Amino acid sequence: MQNLGQNIGCGAGCFGSATGVAGADINADFAWDISTGSRANVVAIVDTGIDYNHPDLAANVWSAPTSFTVNIGGLAIVCAAGTHGFNAITNTCNPLDDNDHGSHTSGTVGAVATTASA
């Protein structure tokens, strides 16, 4: 959220440069002075899944308070209480990320605040 010109990890071929542009960020730190979120808010991420075991995400990942049913093509799939969502690719109640993009997106929206593992 604070671009200091650090290595972005994909080499010059990725975005034309191996480093970010210092100052080219969204200045989220100013918003965090006002609020870092609330458990009263639930945000859905429709992406490749989520690594719900990741230390920056685990404490903030939604868990179903009761079982829920997903209906796909006439097939009813019941997900147990405590599961973290639904995987529409595999038709399972396990949304574990198999691509890392969904975890990245989820981290931007709902990672634990003030960690140094980024």
Side-chain angles (χ1 to χ4, degrees):
M1 297 300 170
Q2 288 185 316
N3 192 336
L4 305 174
Q6 65 269 36
N7 185 319
I8 57 176
C10 63
C14 187
F15 296 107
S17 174
T19 59
V21 177
D25 52 52
I26 63 172
N27 295 313
D29 49 328
F30 296 116
W32 293 331
D33 290 341
I34 298 168
S35 175
T36 56
S38 166
R39 291 216 172 273
N41 302 315
V42 177
V43 177
I45 304 292
V46 180
D47 208 308
T48 61
I50 184 169
D51 181 356
Y52 45 76
N53 299 308
H54 190 285
D56 287 343
L57 300 172
N60 287 341
V61 172
W62 176 81
S63 294
T66 61
S67 64
F68 63 95
T69 303
V70 177
N71 291 293
I72 297 182
L75 176 65
I77 302 167
V78 178
C79 298
T83 56
H84 304 297
F86 184 76
N87 185 326
I89 302 299
T90 62
N91 288 347
T92 66
C93 302
N94 183 4
L96 191 62
D97 199 350
D98 60 357
N99 181 274
D100 293 332
H101 188 271
S103 295
H104 168 81
T105 305
S106 298
T108 300
V109 174
V112 176
T114 67
T115 62
S117 63

